[in-house]
C-alpha cells in the first residue's frame, strides 16, 4: 500500500445527466447514481472506492449539480459534507475545474489534483492506481497538464483521440501532439493502425498552480470570476457567491478551453480495462450474455429467436422478445425504448425530440 500523500487530491465530476442512458438515466436520477451493471454498487460508489485506495479520504471531493448533493451524501455517507461541492448550474467541465481548483488552492497551494468523471468503468484497479500515481508524481515536479490515454482495442467512433510524440519525457509520459474529436470509421481505423493514438479518457492530472496558470492564459474571463470569489471559498458565503459567479461563466469544456491549446500537455498511455459507459452498447459489452449474445437484465424475460440484444426491464414485468437482432430494449415504469444498437449514438437527439414534443415529464 502506497503511503497516502497529503498533497494528492481528487475531484470527482458528478454533475452530468447521462442522456444517452435514457430512459434508465433521468434528470432527477442520472447514470452516475445508478447500478448500471448490476454489481450492487453505483458508478459513483465504485469511483469513490477506487480513489480512496490511494488518496486520503479528506482530500476526495465530489463536484455535482446542486440538485444531486443529497444523492451524493446518501451514496457516500463517509464523505465529509464539506467535500460535496455544489454547482448552481451546468456550465460544462471548465468552470467545474476552475471552481474546484481555486477552492483546493486556497486550502493547499501545493495540491496535485486528479479530475475524473464519476461514471466510468475501470476493471483493473491496481493498473489504474499506478497510472494515477505516476501522473501525480510527474505533475508534482513538472509544470505539466497530464491526461490518461487508453490504448485503443478497436476503431471506435464514440471516443476522442490523442496523438502523442514517439519519445517519452519520463517513465511512460509522452508529450501530446494533437487532440482529435470523435472521428469517422475510416479515420478511426487509420488511428488504430498508426499506433501513436490513444482514446481520450477525460481523466486529467495537474498541480493546482499549473492549472490555474493555464486558466489565466487561455480562459482569463473564467479565472477572473473565481479569483474574485476566492475570499468566499471554504466559508459560509461560498454558496451565495457561486450563485452569482456561475451565470457569468462561459459554457465550455476543459478539453476545448485549455487542453487543446496548451503546449505543456502530456499523456500517459494506459491499459486498465476502461470504458466511459457512455452508451447502452458499452454496457452491453460489459454484461454477461446468453448463448445467443443477449445481455438481459430482468427476471422474467423470455427470448425467442433474438440475438445480440441489450435488454433491461423491471423484474416484475414479463417481457417476450421475438425476432429482434441487435436491438436495445429498455423498459421503465413510464417509458419503453426500442432502438437499433447501431443508432444508439442518436439517443441523445431522440431525447431532445421528446423534450420538444412531450415536455420534460419523461426526461
Amino acid at each position: 500500500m502506497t503511503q497516502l500523500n497529503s498533497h494528492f487530491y481528487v475531484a470527482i465530476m458528478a454533475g452530468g445527466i447521462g442522456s444517452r442512458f435514457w430512459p434508465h438515466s433521468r434528470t432527477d436520477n442520472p447514470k452516475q447514481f445508478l447500478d448500471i451493471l448490476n454489481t450492487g454498487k453505483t458508478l459513483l460508489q465504485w469511483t469513490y472506492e477506487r480513489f480512496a485506495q490511494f488518496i486520503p479520504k479528506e482530500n476526495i471531493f465530489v463536484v455535482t449539480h446542486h440538485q444531486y448533493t443529497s444523492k451524493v451524501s446518501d451514496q457516500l455517507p463517509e464523505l465529509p459534507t464539506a467535500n460535496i461541492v455544489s454547482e448552481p448550474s451546468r456550465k460544462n467541465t471548465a468552470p467545474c475545474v476552475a471552481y474546484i481548483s481555486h477552492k483546493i488552492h486556497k486550502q493547499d497551494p501545493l495540491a496535485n489534483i486528479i479530475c475524473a468523471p464519476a461514471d466510468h468503468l475501470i476493471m483493473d484497479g491496481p493498473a489504474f492506481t499506478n497510472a494515477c500515481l505516476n501522473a501525480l508524481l510527474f505533475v508534482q515536479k513538472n509544470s505539466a497538464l497530464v491526461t490518461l490515454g487508453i490504448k485503443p482495442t478497436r476503431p471506435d467512433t464514440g471516443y476522442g483521440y490523442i496523438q502523442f510524440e514517439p519519445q517519452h519525457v519520463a517513465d511512460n509520459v509522452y508529450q501530446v501532439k494533437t487532440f482529435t474529436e470523435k472521428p469517422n470509421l475510416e479515420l478511426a481505423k487509420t488511428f488504430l493502425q498508426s499506433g501513436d493514438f490513444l482514446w481520450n479518457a477525460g481523466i486529467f492530472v495537474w498541480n493546482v498552480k499549473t492549472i490555474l496558470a493555464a486558466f489565466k492564459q487561455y480562459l482569463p474571463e473564467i479565472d477572473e470570476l473565481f479569483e474574485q470569489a476566492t475570499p468566499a471559498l471554504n466559508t459560509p458565503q461560498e454558496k451565495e457567491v457561486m450563485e452569482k459567479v456561475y451565470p457569468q461563466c462561459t459554457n465550455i469544456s476543459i478539453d476545448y478551453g485549455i487542453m487543446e491549446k496548451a503546449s505543456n500537455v502530456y499523456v500517459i498511455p494506459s491499459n486498465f480495462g476502461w470504458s466511459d459507459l457512455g452508451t447502452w452498447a458499452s454496457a452491453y459489452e460489459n454484461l454477461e450474455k446468453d448463448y445467443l449474445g443477449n445481455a438481459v437484465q430482468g427476471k422474467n424475460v423470455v427470448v425467442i429467436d433474438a440475438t445480440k440484444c441489450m435488454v433491461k426491464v423491471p423484474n416484475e414485468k414479463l417481457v417476450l422478445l421475438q425476432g429482434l437482432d441487435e436491438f436495445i430494449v429498455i423498459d421503465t415504469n413510464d417509458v419503453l425504448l426500442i432502438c437499433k444498437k447501431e443508432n444508439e449514438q442518436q439517443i441523445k437527439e431522440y431525447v431532445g425530440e421528446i423534450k420538444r414534443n412531450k415536455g420534460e415529464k419523461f426526461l
Side-chain angles (χ1 to χ4, degrees), residues 125-198:
F128 178 71
T129 299
N130 287 340
C132 288
L133 287 172
N134 188 17
L136 285 163
L137 292 167
F138 182 73
V139 302
Q140 195 171 29
K141 297 180 185 136
N142 299 278
S143 175
L145 306 170
V146 172
T147 180
L148 302 188
I150 308 300
K151 292 170 186 171
T153 54
R154 59 186 182 276
D156 201 301
T157 59
Y159 298 143
Y161 285 73
I162 300 166
Q163 186 183 26
F164 60 97
E165 299 284 0
Q167 295 298 321
H168 60 85
V169 298
D171 180 28
N172 200 33
V173 181
Y174 298 80
Q175 183 136 26
V176 169
K177 250 187 185 172
T178 58
F179 284 90
T180 307
E181 285 304 301
K182 297 170 185 177
N184 61 33
L185 188 58
E186 285 312 306
L187 200 52
K189 284 177 181 171
T190 309
F191 288 172
L192 192 65
Q193 284 159 2
S194 78
D196 61 351
F197 280 84
L198 303 163

Side-chain angles (χ1 to χ4, degrees), residues 194-216:
S194 78
D196 61 351
F197 280 84
L198 303 163
W199 287 333
N200 185 356
I203 300 169
F204 305 110
V205 190
W206 38 55
N207 179 274
V208 71
K209 286 179 179 159
T210 309
I211 189 62
L212 290 180
F215 268 101
K216 273 188 174 54

